[in-house]
Amino acid sequence: MRKLTIGLIFTICIITAVCASSAIAGNSNPDLVVTYGETTYANQQYVNSVNNYFASKGYTNLGNANTEVISASQVNAISQGISGKTYNSNQIFSSALVDLNQGDNLKVTVDSSKITLVTAKMYASALESAGIQKGIVYVTSPISATGESALAGVMSCYEKATNVEIPQEVKQAANEEIYVQAEVVNNTNANPDQISQIVDDVKGEVEKQNITDMQSIVDVVNETAQKYNIQISNADIEKIAEAIYNTFNVQDQANAYKDKLEAVLS
């Protein structure tokens, strides 16, 4: 993978989420919730491009969907506390569709022709950390975008479709996973899924060993990166460890949300 330079101005990708859930609606015409990044929403050609992608996946009737626009200020409320980045209203593009009617597991598909950095594996790992383990998710964008901020829209979609609020601390920790992984990919020559695999392996080891202190998590990250022969700076190892530490600090809240979500979807 071509190394992305630090100076690259990412075209930010905030989710356009389309949620379908006939089980929740209680009839054959499922509820639809569409959230558009404000840049996409302001351009009908962009909206058409997004909707055409979803139509290619079998979602041809979005006319009855409720609509929400995700603004740069909403994105910045998340990103500033994690990466320190801020984005303008002309940088909010990406789109996603979440279908809660299909499948007992979580399945994420990313349009890799448009989403350049964050992968399906990254989204799935962060969603699972937040207690979301069911639903079909598609992520796309009308133009090339990194996908760093897309998770916020997916979570909004789940909240709107189920009327179950995700705890703010859980949202923050899950989004931190995405931002940190994107930054580490940007700082290394690693494939994004390689970084995601390291994060998944470390989370599994932390849970297995019931590790609760930062230094031990740092050690596990370092050992795991060496196992995959991926060179990661000490600073980035610390960031990965901190993101995982924060994820496990909110697991009680994530598990409580998971129980509420499963009760609604059952």
Side-chain angles (χ1 to χ4, degrees):
M1 173 183 175
R2 179 176 59 85
K3 183 175 182 179
L4 300 175
T5 62
I6 297 296
L8 178 63
I9 299 177
F10 290 123
T11 305
I12 199 66
C13 167
I14 186 71
I15 256 336
T16 307
V18 181
C19 307
S21 177
S22 60
I24 296 165
N27 55 51
S28 59
N29 183 20
D31 286 346
L32 294 176
V33 180
V34 183
T35 62
Y36 293 100
E38 63 179 309
T39 315
T40 294
Y41 188 73
N43 185 316
Q44 188 59 48
Q45 185 176 353
Y46 287 169
V47 172
N48 292 342
S49 174
V50 164
N51 290 345
N52 287 340
Y53 175 79
F54 296 143
S56 75
K57 303 302 180 183
Y59 298 89
T60 57
N61 183 15
L62 302 178
N64 295 326
N66 296 317
T67 300
E68 178 185 8
V69 179
I70 302 296
S71 68
S73 62
Q74 290 171 282
V75 178
N76 291 337
I78 296 170
S79 66
Q80 285 178 322
I82 300 170
S83 65
K85 294 180 181 178
T86 57
Y87 303 98
N88 299 321
S89 60
N90 63 351
Q91 295 178 291
I92 313 301
F93 289 101
S94 288
S95 312
L97 181 150
V98 178
D99 185 348
L100 301 182
N101 275 320
Q102 301 186 43
D104 293 329
N105 300 310
L106 178 66
K107 181 181 178 182
V108 182
T109 301
V110 171
D111 180 0
S112 58
S113 70
K114 298 292 178 62
I115 305 300
T116 62
L117 184 59
V118 182
T119 67
K121 186 175 178 63
M122 287 184 185
Y123 289 123
S125 179
L127 288 170
E128 288 171 353
S129 292
I132 295 173
Q133 299 184 356
K134 292 184 179 180
I136 294 176
V137 180
Y138 293 98
V139 181
T140 188
S141 172
I143 68 170
S144 180
T146 63
E148 289 170 277
S149 297
L151 192 67
V154 175
M155 289 182 167
S156 175
C157 183
Y158 274 88
E159 289 181 319
K160 286 183 173 295
T162 63
N163 201 31
V164 180
E165 186 175 353
I166 303 170
Q168 187 61 37
E169 293 84 358
V170 172
K171 291 181 186 178
Q172 191 75 8
N175 277 286
E176 184 179 4
E177 279 194 36
I178 292 290
Y179 277 94
V180 167
Q181 288 181 71
E183 184 174 0
V184 174
V185 169
N186 187 49
N187 292 341
T188 67
N189 287 315
N191 180 283
D193 279 341
Q194 290 178 310
I195 301 301
S196 182
Q197 188 63 56
I198 289 173
V199 171
D200 278 352
D201 286 2
V202 173
K203 286 195 294 187
E205 197 64 26
V206 168
E207 183 174 15
K208 178 182 176 182
Q209 296 187 32
N210 194 27
I211 297 172
T212 58
D213 66 286
M214 262 290 293
Q215 185 54 53
S216 294
I217 299 175
V218 167
D219 293 340
V220 176
V221 175
N222 193 34
E223 291 167 4
T224 306
Q226 290 178 10
K227 181 179 75 174
Y228 287 105
N229 196 29
I230 298 175
Q231 300 298 316
I232 302 177
S233 70
N234 289 336
D236 283 343
I237 286 174
E238 292 273 356
K239 290 175 184 176
I240 293 172
E242 183 175 6
I244 293 170
Y245 178 82
N246 290 337
T247 291
F248 278 92
N249 272 350
V250 299
Q251 274 308 289
D252 286 347
Q253 294 180 73
N255 289 336
Y257 167 71
K258 176 185 174 183
D259 291 343
K260 291 179 183 178
L261 183 62
E262 289 183 346
V264 170
L265 297 179
S266 61

